[in-house]
């Protein structure tokens, strides 16, 4: 028995996610609370032994950073402008890019379009699919018009075989779909196990760096939306992109959560259609109504990354005798709507406690930043008084509980985008407080051509 105890202590169990150790196996890590990541650790490797220094090879000596030559690492555009926007201008030689998103959001469709555009530009592309057969990918490529002789397909789940295809095809762009379905003989466990994901990703990244081969890796997500697999996966890659979208609408967004070669505040906008995925260079029209002036609508200027976009906020109020009136929202923050209604009633005298209130955005966009407060307040006020706000007025501002209108980030860019789209007047923090903003709407409306002034 003592011998068995010593054996257990010399080879404890270790979490592959965070490194936490324990003397006995448990199903859940006591540190990071992840399930199924505790495995038996290897024997001690003698970390106290000294390591003999090795001289660097020819051309690999350390040198001043000012002498590093970057002329051999130019950016290459993918041919998909919105994707290039998120990457910072295009693909960098040897870059490892991780693209994650919900199932069915369109990750494979987007990357097939990227592969086809790169092939049309004269670059050979290898698309390694571990989830679909080559016939299935070919059918989707025919539907989306992504057929080209320089686009090579391979359906493989073994990492060594994929690397063999890389040696044979010699591509200039490699796409692996997905890292959770590829396995390596150098690691134990089934495909998708944290140790397998780490080994596959590390090998693909090492190949990308050694050959200067841009590599795009597709990653799955868990139930809570985080990237499946060990956290080290996000640390290893150069760029982490999140592909987002609502299944009820065709609008899709690509955001950079990490980018070693560019900014992380850019957003790419796409429209998922039956013929594939299409870029939306100017998404302003998607989030506006048909141009008619109706009571209970107001346009706000939202900010997605560095891109300012007008969003139409609609409100509908109906009198009710129920003790608890309804507050139904879509695309906006329910807690902020409740706060705005309270400020309207207390500071502006617009009673909503006896009414059901419905607030929504047009086009399925989510507008949850504080800059939507003023537009929500004006839309609700217009619905209560049954007065329409003219089309040439937009509103941007955050409301405080004292009824003050506070400035928002990138205010100058929002006003510039509003002026570009024809909104002559922007109600913002220059009105100081909500009651002043309602008065400004009335004054500016009277100066407009044949517009009816809302009686707020």
């Amino acid at each position: 028995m003592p011998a068995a105890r010593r054996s257990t202590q010399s080879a404890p169990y270790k979490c592959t996610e965070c490194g936490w150790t324990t003397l006995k196996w448990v199903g859940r890590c006591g540190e990071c609370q992840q399930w199924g990541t505790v495995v038996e650790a290897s024997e001690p490797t003698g970390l106290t032994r000294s390591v003999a220094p090795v001289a660097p090879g020819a051309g690999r000596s350390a040198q001043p950073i000012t002498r590093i030559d970057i002329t051999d690492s130019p950016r290459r555009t993918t041919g998909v402008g919105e994707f290039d926007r998120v990457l910072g201008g295009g693909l960098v030689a040897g870059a490892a890019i991780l693209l994650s998103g919900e199932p069915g959001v369109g990750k494979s469709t987007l990357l097939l379009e990227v592969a086809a555009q790169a092939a049309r530009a004269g670059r050979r592309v290898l698309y390694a699919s571990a989830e679909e057969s080559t016939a299935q990918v070919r059918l989707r490529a025919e539907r989306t018009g992504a057929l080209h002789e320089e686009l090579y397909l391979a359906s493989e789940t073994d990492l060594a075989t994929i690397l063999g295809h890389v040696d044979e095809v010699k591509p200039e762009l490699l796409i692996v779909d997905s890292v959770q379905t590829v396995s390596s003989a150098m690691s134990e466990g089934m495909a998708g196990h944290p140790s397998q994901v780490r080994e596959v990703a590390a090998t693909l990244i090492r190949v990308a760096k050694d050959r200067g081969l841009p590599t795009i890796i597709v990653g799955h997500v868990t139930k809570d939306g985080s990237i499946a697999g060990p956290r080290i996966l996000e640390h290893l890659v150069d760029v982490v992109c999140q592909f987002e979208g609502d299944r009820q609408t065709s609008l899709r967004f690509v955001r950079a959560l990490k980018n070693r070669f560019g900014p992380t505040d850019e957003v790419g906008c796409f429209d998922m259609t039956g013929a594939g995925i299409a870029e939306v260079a100017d998404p302003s029209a998607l989030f506006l109504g048909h141009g008619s002036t109706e009571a209970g609508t107001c346009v706000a200027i939202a900010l997605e990354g560095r891109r300012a976009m007008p969003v139409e906020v609609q409100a509908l109020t109906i009198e009710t005798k129920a003790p608890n009136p309804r507050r139904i929202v879509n695309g906006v923050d329910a807690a902020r709507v409740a706060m705005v209604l309270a400020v309207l009633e207390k500071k502006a005298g617009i009673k909503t406690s006896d009414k059901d209130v419905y607030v929504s955005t047009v086009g399925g966009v989510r507008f949850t930043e504080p800059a939507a407060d003023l537009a929500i307040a004006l839309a609700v006020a217009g619905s209560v008084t049954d007065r329409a706000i003219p089309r040439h007025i937009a509103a941007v501002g955050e409301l405080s509980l004292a009824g003050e209108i506070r400035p928002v980030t990138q205010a100058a860019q929002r006003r510039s985008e509003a002026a570009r789209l024809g909104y002559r007047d922007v109600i913002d923090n220059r009105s100081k407080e909500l009651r002043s903003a309602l008065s400004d709407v009335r004054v500016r409306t009277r100066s407009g051509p044949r517009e009816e002034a809302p009686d707020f």
Side-chain angles (χ1 to χ4, degrees), residues 51 176 216 238-239 272 353 365 371 376 397 411 415 427-428 438 443:
V51 178
V176 179
I216 303 178
D238 300 310
V239 182
M272 186 66 70
S353 57
V365 66
I376 294 173
R415 286 194 293 267
I427 308 298
D428 52 18
L438 296 176
V443 171

Side-chain angles (χ1 to χ4, degrees), residues 118-136:
R120 294 188 185 104
R123 298 195 296 271
R124 182 168 295 182
V125 182
L126 175 60
Y127 190 106
S129 176
E131 299 180 351
E132 299 175 282
S133 66
T134 54
Q136 290 175 319

Side-chain angles (χ1 to χ4, degrees), residues 105-106 108-110 112-113 140-146 243 250 252 270-279:
V105 74
S108 300
T109 304
L110 172 62
L112 188 60
E113 179 65 20
R140 188 170 68 251
E142 286 185 349
R143 177 174 56 86
T144 61
F243 200 25
S250 61
R252 302 289 186 269
F270 298 89
D271 186 23
M272 186 66 70
T273 64
I277 193 166
E279 299 178 62

Side-chain angles (χ1 to χ4, degrees), residues 78-94:
T78 63
V80 181
E82 291 296 299
F83 193 50
D84 289 336
R85 175 198 292 267
V86 177
L87 296 179
L91 295 171
V92 177

Side-chain angles (χ1 to χ4, degrees), residues 81-414:
E82 291 296 299
F83 193 50
D84 289 336
R85 175 198 292 267
V86 177
L87 296 179
L91 295 171
V92 177
I97 302 167
L98 177 64
L99 178 67
S100 66
E102 295 286 342
V105 74
K107 302 183 297 295
S108 300
T109 304
L110 172 62
L111 292 184
L112 188 60
E113 179 65 20
V114 170
Q117 293 292 345
R120 294 188 185 104
R123 298 195 296 271
R124 182 168 295 182
V125 182
L126 175 60
Y127 190 106
S129 176
E131 299 180 351
E132 299 175 282
S133 66
T134 54
Q136 290 175 319
V137 179
R138 166 64 190 265
L139 288 174
R140 188 170 68 251
E142 286 185 349
R143 177 174 56 86
T144 61
L147 297 177
H148 198 277
E149 290 296 328
E150 288 297 317
L151 175 55
Y152 288 73
L153 295 180
S155 179
E156 300 291 347
T157 58
D158 180 65
L159 178 62
T161 307
I162 293 177
L163 297 181
H165 285 296
V166 173
D167 290 335
E168 180 181 352
V169 176
K170 294 181 174 54
E172 297 180 60
L173 173 62
L174 173 63
I175 299 175
V176 179
D177 186 7
S178 64
V179 67
Q180 279 84 10
T181 53
V182 177
S183 60
S184 172
M186 301 300 294
S187 179
E188 298 180 355
M190 300 177 60
H193 192 273
S195 61
Q196 280 283 351
V197 173
R198 182 171 57 248
E199 176 65 26
V200 171
T203 302
L204 290 174
I205 294 171
R206 184 171 61 251
V207 171
K209 303 300 182 184
D210 292 343
R211 304 190 181 196
L213 174 63
T215 302
I216 303 178
I217 305 171
V218 177
H220 295 170
V221 296
T222 59
K223 291 181 179 180
D224 59 357
S226 60
I227 301 176
R231 191 71 174 181
I232 194 174
L233 176 62
E234 301 174 52
H235 293 283
L236 289 174
V237 297
D238 300 310
V239 182
V240 178
C241 293
Q242 182 77 21
F243 200 25
E244 304 173 353
D246 189 351
R247 292 191 178 185
Q248 306 301 323
T249 64
S250 61
L251 191 64
R252 302 289 186 269
F253 289 107
V254 177
R255 307 175 189 272
L257 306 181
K258 169 188 175 182
N259 193 349
R260 290 174 177 167
F261 312 120
T264 57
D265 54 358
E266 286 286 6
V267 177
C269 187
F270 298 89
D271 186 23
M272 186 66 70
T273 64
I277 193 166
E279 299 178 62
V280 182
D282 189 5
S284 301
L286 297 177
F287 311 132
L288 297 175
H290 298 290
S292 60
T293 303
E294 297 290 342
T297 64
C298 184
V299 173
I301 308 298
L303 202 65
E304 287 287 347
R306 295 184 179 182
R307 172 178 287 172
M309 298 180 296
V311 176
E312 184 174 305
V313 179
Q314 298 181 341
L316 177 65
T317 58
I318 301 175
E319 292 187 2
T320 180
K321 295 182 180 179
N324 297 315
R326 289 186 175 185
R327 303 289 187 258
I328 307 298
V329 301
N330 181 32
V332 293
D333 188 2
R336 299 203 69 86
V337 170
M339 185 194 75
V340 169
L341 296 180
V343 173
L344 269 175
E345 185 158 345
K346 179 69 174 181
K347 301 297 181 181
I350 298 178
K351 190 175 182 181
T352 58
S353 57
D354 59 347
K355 298 178 179 63
D356 292 335
V357 179
Y358 304 84
V359 180
S360 178
T361 58
V362 173
V365 66
R366 291 192 57 82
F367 191 13
T368 57
E369 59 175 319
D373 291 353
L374 185 55
I376 294 173
L378 293 179
V380 172
S383 178
V384 172
T385 60
D386 197 23
R387 298 285 181 170
I389 297 176
R391 290 190 295 269
H392 64 82
I393 292 180
V396 176
E398 175 186 358
L399 286 182
S400 69
L401 294 180
E404 298 174 343
I405 301 177
R406 296 182 176 180
V408 296
T409 59
Q410 304 290 336
Q413 183 177 355
R414 296 176 197 260

